[in-house]
Amino acid sequence: MISVSTPRLLGFLAVLVTFAATATPQRAATDPIDQWVESYMADNQVPGLALAVLEGGQIVKAKGYGLANIEHHVPVTPSTVFQSASVGKQFTAAGILLLVQDGKLALEDPISKYLRGAPKEWSKITVRHLLTHTSGIPDYGEDSTWLDLRRDYSEDELLHVISSHPLLRQPGEEWIYSNSGYTLLGMIIRAVTGEHWGEFLRKRVFGPLGMETARVISEEDLVANRAAGYRLVDGGIRNQEWVAPSLNTVAEGSLYFTVLDLAKWDAALYREDLLSKASKEQMWSPVRLNDGSTASHGLGWFLQDEPGRRAMECDGAWQGFRSYIGRYPDVSLTVIVLANSSAVQPILVGHKIAALRRPALAPPTRTAIRLPLETLAGYAGAYRLPTGEILRLSSTENGLKLEMGPAVAELVPESKDVFFAPTAPDSRLIFVRDKTGAIRWVQPRRVPSWPARAEKVSQ
């Protein structure tokens, strides 16, 4: 969903700076997962959380913790309904793939074929570019001046807002996360089917799979078991902020569902009665950029390719809700996490639960090495993301300090050009050099596998 004030990289930094406080639970419990989750929630003032653990598409654990609604003291259960945030993007992608299977569109179709009034600058952008975040269209969630969150927009008005900003890169040139692109995909589904994207998914995905509570968000409708979303303000829990209803009906993540709904979705991904084998191969293949390199993102999913720890993952953050689904095909494991607090780091929670269930998925032991101070000084400087945001690195006695906005992380070298945080060894920064040996990029890894790279722009 829209993330107006917090760039996606801050999630990476937050994992680095918060993991130490939650990695060693102190409370006794019979189930290690329960023990860790309850400790994490207490340490981070999390009102409520639901999780599901599946093996081979079968539920082995589904449980709720804490409160779905603090004011009415309603407990979370596996049937509690949460907002999807960006985990909903994989359903938008699935809807497009179903239309491809129907022969009603092709991934290489130009989006101007379906979007009336698309600017000439978009003439080379394809449906695939939108799905893989490689269109170059900027993310309207990265700039709070783009949208008035208290205003209802029509689809034509949203199209005008999105198209009024120039491309950040040419199509296929760079991976740039874009909620705007997925909003446009919802408009394309309507152009092809004549239906709102949510109604199309209800008929083609949610209904056939028995996902009984999955649906587009509505503040007006009565929704049984709906959780309230919360945020932390000055150390206290507050209700989520209100946004205009139309902004909670767009295709970049405006869904309700439960962990039980997502369990049915996971089971369907083992079969081919919904999405064909060819569609799933497309969905879980890394996108190839114009220069021949690849980015670790498919169609609606982030991809992790470490041997033995391969994963297809997605996380989301919006309006006091956090979400995560991770599928680990090498061990036939899936972890689903839904929470109603902006304080939750869903990736951290998902990875920890996966490692508790399958110890081989735990972060590898990493050993810091010493690098000369003059070598460390060579990494220092400003690095610019495609969105224009700057992360800064400075050398320390033992490694590097990374700063971006309010987030700060201390990193140590594992090898030349690979650094990690001792408190979160699964999150690393990898430096990429050009043919002359000069540093050109820095690449965050395991966020999950966040593909954006930051170009070095100054010492």
Side-chain angles (χ1 to χ4, degrees), residues 86-95 182 265 283 299-301 314 325:
S86 285
V87 168
K89 285 182 170 67
Q90 62 197 254
F91 292 96
T92 301
Y182 270 74
W265 167 241
M283 189 165 64
L299 311 184
W301 294 79
C314 189
I325 180 171

Side-chain angles (χ1 to χ4, degrees), residues 222-236:
L222 300 179
V223 179
N225 303 316
R226 172 166 45 189
Y230 300 99
R231 56 200 170 101
L232 287 182
V233 179
D234 297 328

Side-chain angles (χ1 to χ4, degrees), residues 5 7 16 45 53 66 88 128 195 252 268 273-274 310 313 361 388 399 431 450:
S5 60
L16 300 187
Q45 300 185 66
V53 180
R128 185 188 298 277
E195 298 177 315
E252 41 96 336
D273 52 329
L274 182 71
R310 291 188 305 124
E313 304 175 276
L361 295 175
F431 292 87
W450 196 59

Side-chain angles (χ1 to χ4, degrees), residues 1-17:
M1 278 300 295
I2 306 166
S3 176
V4 172
S5 60
T6 305
R8 189 173 177 83
L9 183 60
L10 291 186
F12 172 75
L13 298 181
V15 170
L16 300 187
V17 299

Side-chain angles (χ1 to χ4, degrees), residues 89-106:
K89 285 182 170 67
Q90 62 197 254
F91 292 96
T92 301
I96 293 291
L97 288 170
L98 288 172
L99 292 175
V100 173
Q101 290 177 187
D102 293 344
K104 293 183 177 179
L105 62 72

Side-chain angles (χ1 to χ4, degrees), residues 279-391:
S279 290
K280 288 184 288 185
E281 287 176 351
Q282 293 261 20
M283 189 165 64
W284 294 326
S285 294
V287 57
R288 186 168 296 279
L289 302 176
N290 294 346
D291 64 4
S293 65
T294 59
S296 51
H297 192 279
L299 311 184
W301 294 79
F302 292 88
L303 308 173
Q304 172 65 35
D305 60 1
E306 291 184 27
R309 304 174 72 223
R310 291 188 305 124
M312 297 85 82
E313 304 175 276
C314 189
D315 69 294
W318 171 242
Q319 230 191 351
F321 290 91
R322 298 293 185 266
S323 54
Y324 171 83
I325 180 171
R327 307 184 80 245
Y328 301 86
D330 294 336
V331 292
S332 299
L333 178 74
T334 299
V335 175
I336 299 163
V337 177
L338 301 176
N340 63 346
S341 170
S342 62
V344 171
Q345 294 295 328
I347 301 164
L348 184 156
V349 177
H351 287 179
K352 182 65 178 183
I353 292 171
L356 287 171
R357 189 71 189 183
R358 291 284 193 276
L361 295 175
T365 300
R366 301 191 186 281
T367 302
I369 64 171
R370 299 285 296 186
L371 289 178
L373 293 179
E374 58 269 25
T375 301
L376 292 171
Y379 299 103
Y383 294 77
R384 183 173 55 217
L385 290 159
T387 55
E389 296 147 331
I390 299 293
L391 65 88

Side-chain angles (χ1 to χ4, degrees), residues 93-374:
I96 293 291
L97 288 170
L98 288 172
L99 292 175
V100 173
Q101 290 177 187
D102 293 344
K104 293 183 177 179
L105 62 72
L107 295 183
E108 309 310 326
D109 284 346
I111 63 174
S112 57
K113 179 178 179 180
Y114 305 103
L115 299 175
R116 292 182 304 169
K120 185 177 295 185
E121 189 182 27
W122 290 7
S123 62
K124 295 182 180 180
I125 297 175
T126 66
V127 175
R128 185 188 298 277
H129 285 136
L130 295 183
L131 288 165
T132 56
H133 298 288
T134 59
S135 68
I137 295 174
D139 181 3
Y140 56 45
E142 293 290 350
D143 188 338
S144 60
T145 66
W146 276 44
L147 294 176
D148 177 357
L149 297 183
R150 301 290 196 267
R151 174 187 168 187
D152 275 311
Y153 292 84
S154 68
E155 285 190 356
D156 286 343
E157 288 172 332
L158 276 176
L159 177 59
H160 174 73
V161 169
I162 296 169
S163 63
S164 65
H165 294 263
L167 296 181
L168 296 174
R169 295 287 191 275
Q170 289 303 303
E173 187 176 69
E174 190 82 33
W175 186 92
I176 305 172
Y177 192 81
S178 178
N179 287 295
S180 309
Y182 270 74
T183 294
L184 296 176
L185 287 168
M187 298 178 191
I188 290 172
I189 290 175
R190 184 191 291 278
V192 174
T193 67
E195 298 177 315
H196 186 270
W197 65 275
E199 178 64 13
F200 176 73
L201 289 179
R202 184 188 68 80
K203 292 179 179 179
R204 295 294 300 273
V205 179
F206 304 149
L209 297 185
M211 297 173 65
E212 297 174 356
T213 58
R215 52 165 295 174
V216 172
I217 291 171
S218 170
E219 299 291 344
E220 180 181 38
D221 292 351
L222 300 179
V223 179
N225 303 316
R226 172 166 45 189
Y230 300 99
R231 56 200 170 101
L232 287 182
V233 179
D234 297 328
I237 298 175
R238 299 289 185 269
N239 284 305
Q240 66 177 350
E241 293 184 286
W242 183 86
V243 301
S246 69
L247 294 177
N248 266 335
T249 63
V250 292
E252 41 96 336
S254 301
L255 294 175
Y256 285 137
F257 47 48
T258 67
V259 293
L260 300 179
D261 288 323
L262 288 180
K264 293 175 181 177
W265 167 241
D266 176 68
L269 294 175
Y270 283 94
R271 310 189 304 266
E272 295 178 11
D273 52 329
L274 182 71
L275 293 177
S276 67
K277 180 180 179 181
S279 290
K280 288 184 288 185
E281 287 176 351
Q282 293 261 20
M283 189 165 64
W284 294 326
S285 294
V287 57
R288 186 168 296 279
L289 302 176
N290 294 346
D291 64 4
S293 65
T294 59
S296 51
H297 192 279
L299 311 184
W301 294 79
F302 292 88
L303 308 173
Q304 172 65 35
D305 60 1
E306 291 184 27
R309 304 174 72 223
R310 291 188 305 124
M312 297 85 82
E313 304 175 276
C314 189
D315 69 294
W318 171 242
Q319 230 191 351
F321 290 91
R322 298 293 185 266
S323 54
Y324 171 83
I325 180 171
R327 307 184 80 245
Y328 301 86
D330 294 336
V331 292
S332 299
L333 178 74
T334 299
V335 175
I336 299 163
V337 177
L338 301 176
N340 63 346
S341 170
S342 62
V344 171
Q345 294 295 328
I347 301 164
L348 184 156
V349 177
H351 287 179
K352 182 65 178 183
I353 292 171
L356 287 171
R357 189 71 189 183
R358 291 284 193 276
L361 295 175
T365 300
R366 301 191 186 281
T367 302
I369 64 171
R370 299 285 296 186
L371 289 178
L373 293 179
E374 58 269 25

